[in-house]
Amino acid sequence: MSVVDKVIGALTPPETEEQRLEAHDKARTACSPGDWLSMALDHHEQIYAAFEKVKHAGSPDEARTAQKQLMALFTGHGTAEETVLYPSLAKDGQKGHATQAYTEQATAKMQFAELERLAPLSQEYMEKLGHIEGAVKHHIYEEESIWFLDMKESAPADLQQMATARFREEYERYMNGAEQGGIGGLGNRDMGGGRAASGSTSGDFGSDLGGRTGGERGSQGSLGGSMAGTGGTGSGLSPDYGRDTTNRGDISGDRPATPQSGAGRDKGGF
């Protein structure tokens, strides 16, 4: 971890896991069964769980297999967002946020590529993984706390319907190809927004919060520029979401301060 990354991490405090859980639950209440938002939230939960699977792998081979599953989930979800949801954000008046989202995801993909060159479960590997996880979790928080909620509330019905159909199509196209390419463990992908249909909020998550209760703390830092991994682990929604005040990295080096709920809509341009 560079000195610059340490300074940025110290000066830019992360949102807490409790804030992430609150944002996720609030976004759930805005969903309609099977809509684009419910699918995106399902994907976020799957990505968090996939990070946990890599971190708790029992051997280097198991870690590498879990890493491939994680990268497939992240790339499939990201491809669908970049093809459908981010252009929809721009159409709905959030051009600056859309540009930031593209930049953050592109940088995360580059860091995943760096991870592939490291020995699984080595110290350097785990530090890199922890830093990527923190940055991804912060990116998801931005989406769930402001960007996607604004679009859900303000976008016209025809844009919402198009986003739902096309988001599903792009995600399934990528994931079907990944499975055909030999990446296993990608089954049971809930594309129906089942959690949204049941109106689940923090009560449902509470029943899944076994395991750690906030004992682990991880790293902060920036994934922008010449970055190195930073130690620590973070928890996902399954089983630990909302209880681990953990690592956070900014995916883009010069991104604005963390948005808080209630912030104004972005009106920036490309």
Side-chain angles (χ1 to χ4, degrees), residues 13-248:
E15 68 279 352
T16 65
E17 287 294 327
E18 286 73 19
Q19 288 174 315
R20 291 171 182 160
L21 177 60
E22 181 181 358
H24 186 83
D25 286 344
K26 183 178 179 180
R28 278 288 179 197
T29 64
C31 293
S32 299
D35 69 353
W36 63 268
L37 181 56
S38 69
M39 287 187 282
L41 297 180
D42 288 343
H43 298 173
H44 292 168
E45 294 176 20
Q46 292 160 11
I47 289 168
Y48 284 138
F51 270 112
E52 291 297 314
K53 189 174 181 180
V54 180
K55 291 189 298 182
H56 295 95
S59 69
D61 286 345
E62 183 180 336
R64 189 65 85 191
T65 297
Q67 176 197 320
K68 289 180 179 179
Q69 294 168 355
L70 166 62
M71 292 173 66
L73 286 167
F74 181 82
T75 305
H77 170 70
T79 297
E81 284 188 325
E82 292 161 15
T83 304
V84 180
L85 297 189
Y86 296 165
S88 297
L89 285 178
K91 182 71 172 176
D92 192 47
Q94 298 191 65
K95 291 183 178 180
H97 289 160
T99 301
Q100 181 179 336
Y102 279 116
T103 301
E104 290 181 350
Q105 289 206 154
T107 310
K109 290 174 183 177
M110 288 189 287
Q111 296 307 316
F112 271 122
E114 291 289 331
L115 190 69
E116 289 196 89
R117 290 192 278 271
L118 302 177
L121 301 186
S122 67
Q123 180 178 350
E124 187 178 6
Y125 179 94
M126 296 306 292
E127 288 176 349
K128 174 74 75 174
L129 179 68
H131 192 82
I132 295 171
E133 181 187 28
V136 168
K137 289 170 74 174
H138 179 68
H139 173 76
I140 288 174
Y141 175 74
E142 292 174 309
E143 292 179 335
E144 294 184 350
S145 63
I146 296 180
W147 303 349
F148 286 176
L149 281 184
D150 278 359
M151 178 173 144
K152 181 65 178 176
E153 292 172 359
S154 64
D158 59 343
L159 181 60
Q160 306 269 1
Q161 293 168 0
M162 181 278 294
T164 293
R166 290 284 293 117
F167 186 66
R168 180 191 299 271
E169 178 184 2
E170 291 298 327
Y171 179 74
E172 291 185 341
R173 177 185 292 119
Y174 181 89
M175 298 306 290
N176 288 339
E179 289 179 334
Q180 292 172 8
I183 299 179
L186 299 177
N188 299 319
R189 300 192 304 276
D190 179 11
M191 293 298 296
R195 294 180 63 86
S198 63
S200 64
T201 56
S202 56
D204 293 323
F205 284 123
S207 64
D208 298 328
L209 293 174
R212 297 188 302 278
T213 58
E216 295 184 359
R217 302 184 66 88
S219 63
Q220 304 172 17
S222 170
L223 274 175
S226 57
M227 56 87 53
T230 64
T233 59
S235 66
L237 289 174
S238 175
D240 304 309
Y241 187 89
R243 289 296 181 270
D244 181 14
T245 54
T246 182
N247 55 2
R248 177 268 204 190

